Amino acid sequence: MDQSLANGVRRASIERNTTETRIRVAVNLDGTGVYDVKTGVGFLDHMLEQLSRHSLMDLSVAAEGDLHIDAHHTTEDSGIAIGQAVAKALGDRKGIQRYGHAYIPMDETLTRVALDFSNRPYLIWKVSFSRDKIGDMDTELFREWFQAFAMAAGVTLHVECLYGENNHHIVESCYKALARALRAGIEIDPRKRDAVPSTKGTLGGSL
């Protein structure tokens, strides 16, 4: 039986070890948004906590990375590991709604995310920043996280900040919009619980 179907709850864990990072991730797609996130990068922790809380996906992340260099490897590899865990928990993706979208306002900022759990990974990223850093984190790393997550989760992901000025608000709205879109896309459709949401009968490969 797929791990994703064990006890009727879609759970999975991933352990990713390289010379640059050591990361352990566990997810429960049918959770309540409980999180325990420790990456060593404070702002990244804050964003992953938002991802968990607003998707209702329980998320545990324990990461040790080469932060004496910078946060690049920890950021990218956490995206990979979380994406892999989500993909593993989804199994054959039978019964899911598949598509999700969300608009998230945050004061002066509005961000739109649309996604397709197609198993054909792709990222469109239309987000710009007026600063190089938020706290100690390079703003260019957020695209790296979303790219890594999309590729590993097997999701077509479009992220666009329609307008905004405050860089913190821009990033946070991206993660919250991803969370709400993810929540919609992984939800089980009670009318098609036993069917893969594709006329091909499988998700992945060509259109």
Side-chain angles (χ1 to χ4, degrees), residues 43 108 125 127-143 164-172:
F43 195 83
E108 85 298 341
W125 177 258
V127 182
S128 59
F129 302 101
S130 60
R131 292 165 50 191
D132 294 333
K133 287 183 177 290
I134 300 177
D136 294 328
M137 189 167 178
D138 295 332
T139 50
E140 67 180 9
L141 294 182
F142 297 111
R143 187 190 189 283
E165 297 176 6
N166 183 290
N167 290 270
H168 187 133
H169 295 166
I170 290 170
V171 176
E172 189 163 339

mmCIF file of all heavy atoms in Angstrom, residues 43 108 125 127-143 164-172:
data_model
loop_
_atom_site.group_PDB
_atom_site.id
_atom_site.type_symbol
_atom_site.label_atom_id
_atom_site.label_comp_id
_atom_site.label_asym_id
_atom_site.label_seq_id
_atom_site.Cartn_x
_atom_site.Cartn_y
_atom_site.Cartn_z
ATOM 1 N N PHE A 43 13.863 33.885 8.636
ATOM 2 C CA PHE A 43 12.772 34.325 7.771
ATOM 3 C C PHE A 43 12.186 33.154 6.984
ATOM 4 O O PHE A 43 10.970 33.096 6.762
ATOM 5 C CB PHE A 43 13.240 35.423 6.811
ATOM 6 C CG PHE A 43 12.105 36.144 6.155
ATOM 7 C CD1 PHE A 43 11.461 37.181 6.803
ATOM 8 C CD2 PHE A 43 11.648 35.765 4.900
ATOM 9 C CE1 PHE A 43 10.378 37.840 6.209
ATOM 10 C CE2 PHE A 43 10.579 36.413 4.304
ATOM 11 C CZ PHE A 43 9.939 37.455 4.957
ATOM 12 N N GLU A 108 -0.885 46.630 1.270
ATOM 13 C CA GLU A 108 -0.822 47.225 -0.076
ATOM 14 C C GLU A 108 -0.509 46.216 -1.176
ATOM 15 O O GLU A 108 -0.503 46.562 -2.362
ATOM 16 C CB GLU A 108 0.246 48.337 -0.092
ATOM 17 C CG GLU A 108 1.683 47.888 -0.347
ATOM 18 C CD GLU A 108 2.277 46.949 0.692
ATOM 19 O OE1 GLU A 108 1.775 46.869 1.821
ATOM 20 O OE2 GLU A 108 3.259 46.262 0.359
ATOM 21 N N TRP A 125 7.322 32.701 -12.482
ATOM 22 C CA TRP A 125 7.591 33.553 -11.314
ATOM 23 C C TRP A 125 7.630 34.998 -11.774
ATOM 24 O O TRP A 125 8.550 35.427 -12.454
ATOM 25 C CB TRP A 125 8.926 33.131 -10.702
ATOM 26 C CG TRP A 125 9.408 33.926 -9.530
ATOM 27 C CD1 TRP A 125 10.364 34.901 -9.544
ATOM 28 C CD2 TRP A 125 9.005 33.798 -8.158
ATOM 29 N NE1 TRP A 125 10.575 35.386 -8.276
ATOM 30 C CE2 TRP A 125 9.754 34.725 -7.403
ATOM 31 C CE3 TRP A 125 8.071 32.993 -7.498
ATOM 32 C CZ2 TRP A 125 9.607 34.867 -6.026
ATOM 33 C CZ3 TRP A 125 7.923 33.130 -6.130
ATOM 34 C CH2 TRP A 125 8.688 34.047 -5.409
ATOM 35 N N VAL A 127 7.576 37.995 -9.795
ATOM 36 C CA VAL A 127 7.680 38.653 -8.500
ATOM 37 C C VAL A 127 8.985 39.437 -8.490
ATOM 38 O O VAL A 127 10.037 38.893 -8.824
ATOM 39 C CB VAL A 127 7.681 37.636 -7.335
ATOM 40 C CG1 VAL A 127 7.752 38.359 -5.993
ATOM 41 C CG2 VAL A 127 6.465 36.722 -7.405
ATOM 42 N N SER A 128 8.920 40.691 -8.131
ATOM 43 C CA SER A 128 10.140 41.504 -8.078
ATOM 44 C C SER A 128 10.234 42.195 -6.721
ATOM 45 O O SER A 128 9.223 42.410 -6.037
ATOM 46 C CB SER A 128 10.163 42.530 -9.208
ATOM 47 O OG SER A 128 9.041 43.378 -9.133
ATOM 48 N N PHE A 129 11.459 42.521 -6.351
ATOM 49 C CA PHE A 129 11.738 43.118 -5.055
ATOM 50 C C PHE A 129 12.529 44.406 -5.238
ATOM 51 O O PHE A 129 13.286 44.554 -6.202
ATOM 52 C CB PHE A 129 12.534 42.145 -4.177
ATOM 53 C CG PHE A 129 11.845 40.833 -3.950
ATOM 54 C CD1 PHE A 129 12.209 39.702 -4.666
ATOM 55 C CD2 PHE A 129 10.816 40.725 -3.027
ATOM 56 C CE1 PHE A 129 11.575 38.489 -4.467
ATOM 57 C CE2 PHE A 129 10.169 39.517 -2.818
ATOM 58 C CZ PHE A 129 10.550 38.393 -3.541
ATOM 59 N N SER A 130 12.377 45.303 -4.290
ATOM 60 C CA SER A 130 13.121 46.560 -4.328
ATOM 61 C C SER A 130 14.338 46.528 -3.414
ATOM 62 O O SER A 130 15.117 47.483 -3.378
ATOM 63 C CB SER A 130 12.211 47.729 -3.920
ATOM 64 O OG SER A 130 11.716 47.539 -2.601
ATOM 65 N N ARG A 131 14.499 45.434 -2.685
ATOM 66 C CA ARG A 131 15.640 45.273 -1.793
ATOM 67 C C ARG A 131 16.314 43.946 -2.061
ATOM 68 O O ARG A 131 15.680 42.984 -2.502
ATOM 69 C CB ARG A 131 15.190 45.329 -0.330
ATOM 70 C CG ARG A 131 14.685 46.680 0.121
ATOM 71 C CD ARG A 131 13.923 46.592 1.430
ATOM 72 N NE ARG A 131 14.640 45.854 2.460
ATOM 73 C CZ ARG A 131 14.085 45.459 3.618
ATOM 74 N NH1 ARG A 131 12.814 45.733 3.858
ATOM 75 N NH2 ARG A 131 14.797 44.808 4.504
ATOM 76 N N ASP A 132 17.612 43.867 -1.758
ATOM 77 C CA ASP A 132 18.371 42.635 -1.954
ATOM 78 C C ASP A 132 18.172 41.647 -0.814
ATOM 79 O O ASP A 132 18.371 40.443 -0.999
ATOM 80 C CB ASP A 132 19.867 42.938 -2.088
ATOM 81 C CG ASP A 132 20.197 43.717 -3.347
ATOM 82 O OD1 ASP A 132 19.446 43.585 -4.334
ATOM 83 O OD2 ASP A 132 21.195 44.459 -3.338
ATOM 84 N N LYS A 133 17.793 42.138 0.340
ATOM 85 C CA LYS A 133 17.651 41.278 1.508
ATOM 86 C C LYS A 133 16.393 41.616 2.286
ATOM 87 O O LYS A 133 15.941 42.766 2.297
ATOM 88 C CB LYS A 133 18.859 41.420 2.450
ATOM 89 C CG LYS A 133 20.148 40.781 1.943
ATOM 90 C CD LYS A 133 21.254 40.922 2.977
ATOM 91 C CE LYS A 133 22.535 40.231 2.527
ATOM 92 N NZ LYS A 133 22.394 38.755 2.522
ATOM 93 N N ILE A 134 15.834 40.611 2.948
ATOM 94 C CA ILE A 134 14.832 40.804 3.988
ATOM 95 C C ILE A 134 15.439 40.185 5.237
ATOM 96 O O ILE A 134 15.652 38.965 5.294
ATOM 97 C CB ILE A 134 13.494 40.140 3.642
ATOM 98 C CG1 ILE A 134 12.929 40.713 2.347
ATOM 99 C CG2 ILE A 134 12.506 40.312 4.788
ATOM 100 C CD1 ILE A 134 11.645 40.070 1.900
ATOM 101 N N GLY A 135 15.743 41.005 6.211
ATOM 102 C CA GLY A 135 16.544 40.513 7.324
ATOM 103 C C GLY A 135 17.907 40.103 6.797
ATOM 104 O O GLY A 135 18.583 40.872 6.110
ATOM 105 N N ASP A 136 18.279 38.858 7.081
ATOM 106 C CA ASP A 136 19.560 38.340 6.591
ATOM 107 C C ASP A 136 19.404 37.468 5.349
ATOM 108 O O ASP A 136 20.376 36.861 4.888
ATOM 109 C CB ASP A 136 20.250 37.515 7.692
ATOM 110 C CG ASP A 136 20.670 38.368 8.876
ATOM 111 O OD1 ASP A 136 21.000 39.554 8.650
ATOM 112 O OD2 ASP A 136 20.655 37.863 10.013
ATOM 113 N N MET A 137 18.205 37.404 4.789
ATOM 114 C CA MET A 137 17.949 36.482 3.682
ATOM 115 C C MET A 137 17.913 37.216 2.356
ATOM 116 O O MET A 137 17.216 38.229 2.203
ATOM 117 C CB MET A 137 16.624 35.739 3.911
ATOM 118 C CG MET A 137 16.386 34.618 2.934
ATOM 119 S SD MET A 137 15.042 33.549 3.471
ATOM 120 C CE MET A 137 14.994 32.392 2.088
ATOM 121 N N ASP A 138 18.648 36.706 1.373
ATOM 122 C CA ASP A 138 18.662 37.295 0.037
ATOM 123 C C ASP A 138 17.308 37.087 -0.633
ATOM 124 O O ASP A 138 16.789 35.964 -0.682
ATOM 125 C CB ASP A 138 19.747 36.648 -0.828
ATOM 126 C CG ASP A 138 21.154 36.926 -0.308
ATOM 127 O OD1 ASP A 138 21.345 37.969 0.332
ATOM 128 O OD2 ASP A 138 22.044 36.084 -0.540
ATOM 129 N N THR A 139 16.743 38.146 -1.174
ATOM 130 C CA THR A 139 15.427 38.029 -1.794
ATOM 131 C C THR A 139 15.453 37.141 -3.039
ATOM 132 O O THR A 139 14.434 36.548 -3.397
ATOM 133 C CB THR A 139 14.866 39.411 -2.154
ATOM 134 O OG1 THR A 139 15.847 40.152 -2.889
ATOM 135 C CG2 THR A 139 14.488 40.190 -0.903
ATOM 136 N N GLU A 140 16.605 37.020 -3.715
ATOM 137 C CA GLU A 140 16.677 36.164 -4.895
ATOM 138 C C GLU A 140 16.471 34.692 -4.548
ATOM 139 O O GLU A 140 16.157 33.875 -5.429
ATOM 140 C CB GLU A 140 18.022 36.328 -5.596
ATOM 141 C CG GLU A 140 19.213 35.824 -4.814
ATOM 142 C CD GLU A 140 20.531 36.004 -5.551
ATOM 143 O OE1 GLU A 140 20.518 36.675 -6.607
ATOM 144 O OE2 GLU A 140 21.554 35.468 -5.087
ATOM 145 N N LEU A 141 16.596 34.338 -3.267
ATOM 146 C CA LEU A 141 16.456 32.939 -2.860
ATOM 147 C C LEU A 141 15.006 32.456 -2.854
ATOM 148 O O LEU A 141 14.757 31.256 -2.890
ATOM 149 C CB LEU A 141 17.067 32.715 -1.479
ATOM 150 C CG LEU A 141 18.575 32.896 -1.379
ATOM 151 C CD1 LEU A 141 19.051 32.607 0.037
ATOM 152 C CD2 LEU A 141 19.293 31.986 -2.379
ATOM 153 N N PHE A 142 14.059 33.386 -2.833
ATOM 154 C CA PHE A 142 12.661 32.942 -2.797
ATOM 155 C C PHE A 142 12.264 32.264 -4.096
ATOM 156 O O PHE A 142 11.555 31.256 -4.091
ATOM 157 C CB PHE A 142 11.744 34.113 -2.452
ATOM 158 C CG PHE A 142 12.020 34.658 -1.082
ATOM 159 C CD1 PHE A 142 12.572 35.911 -0.917
ATOM 160 C CD2 PHE A 142 11.774 33.883 0.038
ATOM 161 C CE1 PHE A 142 12.856 36.398 0.340
ATOM 162 C CE2 PHE A 142 12.056 34.358 1.312
ATOM 163 C CZ PHE A 142 12.602 35.619 1.458
ATOM 164 N N ARG A 143 12.743 32.788 -5.219
ATOM 165 C CA ARG A 143 12.482 32.099 -6.481
ATOM 166 C C ARG A 143 13.099 30.704 -6.459
ATOM 167 O O ARG A 143 12.514 29.741 -6.965
ATOM 168 C CB ARG A 143 13.022 32.884 -7.677
ATOM 169 C CG ARG A 143 12.617 32.256 -9.002
ATOM 170 C CD ARG A 143 13.325 32.843 -10.203
ATOM 171 N NE ARG A 143 12.751 32.355 -11.439
ATOM 172 C CZ ARG A 143 12.976 31.135 -11.949
ATOM 173 N NH1 ARG A 143 13.765 30.282 -11.313
ATOM 174 N NH2 ARG A 143 12.394 30.759 -13.083
ATOM 175 N N GLY A 164 2.580 45.659 -5.146
ATOM 176 C CA GLY A 164 3.022 45.674 -3.765
ATOM 177 C C GLY A 164 4.263 46.532 -3.611
ATOM 178 O O GLY A 164 4.993 46.760 -4.584
ATOM 179 N N GLU A 165 4.512 46.980 -2.414
ATOM 180 C CA GLU A 165 5.666 47.828 -2.137
ATOM 181 C C GLU A 165 6.561 47.252 -1.044
ATOM 182 O O GLU A 165 7.776 47.264 -1.173
ATOM 183 C CB GLU A 165 5.197 49.235 -1.728
ATOM 184 C CG GLU A 165 4.434 49.964 -2.829
ATOM 185 C CD GLU A 165 3.912 51.304 -2.366
ATOM 186 O OE1 GLU A 165 4.233 51.715 -1.226
ATOM 187 O OE2 GLU A 165 3.168 51.946 -3.144
ATOM 188 N N ASN A 166 5.953 46.757 0.017
ATOM 189 C CA ASN A 166 6.720 46.232 1.137
ATOM 190 C C ASN A 166 7.214 44.828 0.804
ATOM 191 O O ASN A 166 6.422 43.925 0.539
ATOM 192 C CB ASN A 166 5.837 46.218 2.395
ATOM 193 C CG ASN A 166 6.570 45.755 3.620
ATOM 194 O OD1 ASN A 166 6.901 44.581 3.735
ATOM 195 N ND2 ASN A 166 6.821 46.664 4.540
ATOM 196 N N ASN A 167 8.524 44.627 0.823
ATOM 197 C CA ASN A 167 9.099 43.352 0.396
ATOM 198 C C ASN A 167 8.683 42.185 1.295
ATOM 199 O O ASN A 167 8.478 41.074 0.813
ATOM 200 C CB ASN A 167 10.620 43.467 0.346
ATOM 201 C CG ASN A 167 11.087 44.350 -0.783
ATOM 202 O OD1 ASN A 167 11.336 43.904 -1.896
ATOM 203 N ND2 ASN A 167 11.200 45.648 -0.520
ATOM 204 N N HIS A 168 8.559 42.441 2.583
ATOM 205 C CA HIS A 168 8.088 41.398 3.498
ATOM 206 C C HIS A 168 6.675 40.964 3.116
ATOM 207 O O HIS A 168 6.380 39.763 3.038
ATOM 208 C CB HIS A 168 8.123 41.943 4.929
ATOM 209 C CG HIS A 168 7.835 40.927 5.991
ATOM 210 N ND1 HIS A 168 8.601 40.781 7.117
ATOM 211 C CD2 HIS A 168 6.840 39.999 6.116
ATOM 212 C CE1 HIS A 168 8.106 39.811 7.870
ATOM 213 N NE2 HIS A 168 7.032 39.329 7.290
ATOM 214 N N HIS A 169 5.808 41.931 2.847
ATOM 215 C CA HIS A 169 4.437 41.613 2.450
ATOM 216 C C HIS A 169 4.403 40.831 1.139
ATOM 217 O O HIS A 169 3.596 39.909 0.967
ATOM 218 C CB HIS A 169 3.620 42.895 2.291
ATOM 219 C CG HIS A 169 3.431 43.638 3.565
ATOM 220 N ND1 HIS A 169 2.970 44.943 3.602
ATOM 221 C CD2 HIS A 169 3.645 43.276 4.863
ATOM 222 C CE1 HIS A 169 2.894 45.342 4.859
ATOM 223 N NE2 HIS A 169 3.306 44.366 5.642
ATOM 224 N N ILE A 170 5.267 41.203 0.207
ATOM 225 C CA ILE A 170 5.296 40.521 -1.092
ATOM 226 C C ILE A 170 5.632 39.049 -0.920
ATOM 227 O O ILE A 170 4.929 38.162 -1.429
ATOM 228 C CB ILE A 170 6.298 41.216 -2.039
ATOM 229 C CG1 ILE A 170 5.766 42.593 -2.447
ATOM 230 C CG2 ILE A 170 6.568 40.352 -3.272
ATOM 231 C CD1 ILE A 170 6.777 43.457 -3.177
ATOM 232 N N VAL A 171 6.703 38.755 -0.187
ATOM 233 C CA VAL A 171 7.099 37.361 0.004
ATOM 234 C C VAL A 171 6.045 36.592 0.780
ATOM 235 O O VAL A 171 5.655 35.474 0.403
ATOM 236 C CB VAL A 171 8.453 37.268 0.735
ATOM 237 C CG1 VAL A 171 8.802 35.819 1.008
ATOM 238 C CG2 VAL A 171 9.547 37.919 -0.073
ATOM 239 N N GLU A 172 5.571 37.168 1.866
ATOM 240 C CA GLU A 172 4.619 36.452 2.699
ATOM 241 C C GLU A 172 3.323 36.172 1.955
ATOM 242 O O GLU A 172 2.729 35.090 2.105
ATOM 243 C CB GLU A 172 4.346 37.242 3.984
ATOM 244 C CG GLU A 172 3.543 36.459 4.990
ATOM 245 C CD GLU A 172 3.598 37.039 6.387
ATOM 246 O OE1 GLU A 172 4.549 37.789 6.690
ATOM 247 O OE2 GLU A 172 2.681 36.726 7.186
#
